Amino acid sequence: MRRLTGDQVLAHAGELTEIYRTAFSGPPWYEDGYGAADFARRLPGDASRPGFVAVLATQDGRPAGFGTAWPTAGPFPSGRAYDRVRRALGAAVEARLVGALEVDELAVSPDARGQGLAARILDLLCADAPRAWLLTSPQADDAIRLYERTGWQRLTGPEADVVVFLRDRS
């Protein structure tokens, strides 16, 4: 497992896209090839963001999982899932999430799951961040259990259409 810079992550773009495709093809995501293609299109722009960091995990010499993150710029962004986060948290997004490390993707290949790989990726990805946040689907029971088990604080209630977690070590 190793941390990667933006340039280094682009050298692994094909492998990351394949992990993304397999990781999110099942429930609750059911993403098709378009979701993986969209990830591949976004990756160069994401990798050039200030403070971008990625982690690539291998298993038996093959890529098995990854995570990507960057500090959330202020004012709090819009588009993608940001609007749902703002609806769920209101004005608190500015104080709680702006400036924190935003975990954008965390993906583990289905054949590498159940071995603690996602938790190790997340730990290394956020190792230098006093505050970090991420979101997931309310239907992503395994992910929610992972974040709760590893000490992330849930910021949204059960009625929200997105689940937002915060890790604050400041």
Side-chain angles (χ1 to χ4, degrees), residues 24-44:
F24 294 112
S25 63
W29 313 106
Y30 298 107
E31 287 204 19
D32 54 19
Y34 293 110
D38 184 53
F39 166 76
R41 278 191 299 276
R42 286 192 328 261
L43 189 58

Side-chain angles (χ1 to χ4, degrees), residues 54-137:
V55 170
L56 176 62
T58 58
Q59 188 174 56
D60 300 324
R62 296 183 336 225
F66 74 92
T68 60
W70 55 80
T72 301
F76 193 74
S78 61
R80 289 188 65 200
Y82 294 117
D83 297 332
R84 292 187 305 161
V85 171
R86 182 177 289 284
R87 274 194 308 276
L89 298 179
V93 296
E94 297 296 334
R96 309 251 356 232
L97 305 184
V98 168
L101 186 72
E102 174 182 338
V103 177
D104 183 60
E105 299 293 353
L106 178 63
V108 175
S109 296
D111 59 337
R113 291 182 183 157
Q115 301 167 38
L117 192 58
R120 292 194 314 272
I121 291 169
L122 197 54
D123 283 346
L124 184 56
L125 190 65
C126 300
D128 298 332
R131 285 183 308 123
W133 71 279
L134 55 81
L135 62 89
T136 193
S137 166

Side-chain angles (χ1 to χ4, degrees), residues 132-155:
W133 71 279
L134 55 81
L135 62 89
T136 193
S137 166
Q139 290 80 36
D141 296 329
D142 290 343
I144 291 169
R145 279 192 297 276
L146 166 71
Y147 305 138
E148 290 173 341
R149 187 177 64 246
T150 56
W152 289 68
Q153 175 192 6
R154 185 173 178 157
L155 299 181

